[in-house]
Amino acid sequence: MKFAIYPGYEDHLRVNETLAWGTDEEKAAAFREQQKNLKAFTLPEGMTMEDREIPGSEDGQHIRIRIFRPKDAPALSPVILEVHGGGWIGGNLDIDNHRCVYLAEHTPAVVVGVEYRLASREVHFPAPLMDCLTALRWVYDHGRENGMDPERIGLHGTSAGGNLVAGMALWARDHGGPRISLAVINCGVFTAEPSYSYYQNQRFALGPERPWLETPESTYAPADGSPQSYYAFPGLCRNLGGLCPHFIVTAEYDQLRDEGLEYGMRLLRAGVPCEMIQAPRVGHGFCVVHHPLADWVHDGICASFRREFGMI
């Protein structure tokens, strides 16, 4: 397949390609470059950023959250719970600082990033999802005392974070809330099964394997022969009816493209409000790059949050 890269994304896709197929030395250098780009951000004048710890989903456990509050935020602001990516086995609050700042400033809303437990040999599903749901419940139960409107909660997640957002939306539907105004899933994981785009876009794979498929001893949902939960892989859910409004972002050269498009179409067929953006000539995680295309996608997301929050 001939790839015609979107101008300005050459370096981003070069890093992805190197992470998949480079030598160990090249991969290490590409990883350092990727992390540098991910963690670059500027806090706008008047915006505050505060880290807190909240009680976790298990006794004695705590979850770190990061609260971004825009300048001149009203006494009761809408809130976006933001979930970072990293394939469930990597990532942290720092890699989504730029995105959190953008969402907070341009919606505007209070944005709460959550640092969930990463998957390992000891930590598997549902622990990361439970951490995210605990943060969601904290926002709902304690939002008002922290300047957040518990009746206007949005979700945003990228890659594995998008998977966790989709799982939270299903969980909230099945367990009576909290009510979600809008769930935004950017280049998310919906299934454990490879699609056509998985094979078509292997050049920019971010790695030679999908770890949740091929290394069950250290994955999010181990392949031990037991039935997988649709909270772990939302594409397994047969009935998507009754879910909150969704916003699905996919990328043309992403291995996860087809499962995102299919999930969005299934939402529409189930009567769930859903809008979709298919970004051209870019790969997985394209929104982490400072680029007019990424800003355009983020502006659309912010506009949709404003609509669902009743701000327009």
Side-chain angles (χ1 to χ4, degrees):
M1 175 178 174
K2 182 178 179 180
F3 293 91
I5 298 171
Y6 199 114
Y9 277 92
E10 293 85 359
D11 286 344
H12 177 68
L13 286 172
R14 173 185 54 78
V15 168
N16 287 6
E17 186 174 14
T18 302
L19 288 170
W21 310 110
T23 65
D24 289 345
E25 184 177 345
E26 290 169 338
K27 288 179 182 179
F31 179 78
R32 289 193 296 270
E33 181 179 350
Q34 180 196 57
Q35 293 300 302
K36 180 181 177 181
N37 292 333
L38 286 172
K39 295 177 181 180
F41 77 103
T42 300
L43 201 66
E45 182 179 356
M47 182 178 291
T48 61
M49 183 178 77
E50 174 192 5
D51 283 7
R52 291 191 189 181
E53 284 194 345
I54 62 173
S57 56
E58 298 180 5
D59 289 343
Q61 178 212 357
H62 288 83
I63 299 169
R64 188 160 67 107
I65 61 172
R66 180 166 293 167
I67 302 173
F68 298 81
R69 195 178 304 275
K71 181 181 180 181
D72 300 326
L76 207 59
S77 296
V79 56
I80 300 168
L81 187 67
E82 211 281 335
V83 187
H84 70 78
W88 298 287
I89 59 174
N92 53 43
L93 286 173
D94 292 336
I95 68 172
D96 267 3
N97 281 332
H98 168 71
R99 193 192 322 271
C100 290
V101 166
Y102 201 98
L103 295 176
E105 183 178 28
H106 292 84
T107 301
V110 173
V111 174
V112 179
V114 55
E115 190 153 273
Y116 53 90
R117 283 171 290 175
L118 299 179
S120 66
R121 292 181 183 272
E122 293 77 30
V123 178
H124 300 292
F125 171 85
L129 179 62
M130 292 299 105
D131 290 350
C132 294
L133 287 165
T134 297
L136 173 61
R137 176 56 64 178
W138 182 88
V139 167
Y140 184 78
D141 290 341
H142 300 282
R144 195 172 297 275
E145 64 202 64
N146 289 280
M148 308 172 198
D149 187 348
E151 302 304 321
R152 293 188 292 170
I153 300 174
L155 306 176
H156 181 285
T158 300
S159 191
N163 166 277
L164 291 165
V165 162
M168 280 194 286
L170 286 165
W171 186 278
R173 179 200 66 177
D174 295 347
H175 294 80
R179 176 185 171 273
I180 307 301
S181 298
L182 177 68
V184 180
I185 302 170
N186 193 327
C187 296
V189 184
F190 295 93
T191 176
E193 299 299 324
S195 62
Y196 182 84
S197 59
Y198 168 67
Y199 298 105
Q200 183 184 40
N201 293 325
Q202 282 193 333
R203 175 179 168 185
F204 304 120
L206 286 174
E209 299 175 342
R210 291 178 71 167
W212 56 95
L213 284 174
E214 293 154 11
T215 53
E217 72 280 8
S218 61
T219 61
Y220 176 51
D224 59 1
S226 60
Q228 296 285 14
S229 167
Y230 66 66
Y231 299 126
F233 294 110
L236 296 174
C237 184
R238 294 183 178 181
N239 177 17
L240 300 181
L243 280 168
C244 64
H246 276 57
F247 189 127
I248 307 289
V249 180
T250 57
E252 184 176 356
Y253 296 157
D254 187 4
Q255 289 189 297
L256 305 177
R257 178 197 67 206
D258 290 357
E259 57 196 82
L261 292 171
E262 173 59 21
Y263 196 78
M265 291 304 300
R266 288 186 59 211
L267 287 167
L268 289 170
R269 290 193 289 265
V272 176
C274 179
E275 53 201 302
M276 294 188 285
I277 288 179
Q278 163 67 33
R281 315 296 194 268
V282 289
H284 189 75
F286 72 97
C287 277
V288 303
V289 176
H290 250 318
H291 189 280
L293 175 63
D295 290 347
W296 178 78
V297 171
H298 285 143
D299 286 342
I301 290 169
C302 291
S304 294
F305 274 128
R306 289 195 297 272
R307 181 192 65 236
E308 299 302 329
F309 289 150
M311 300 168 72
I312 55 176

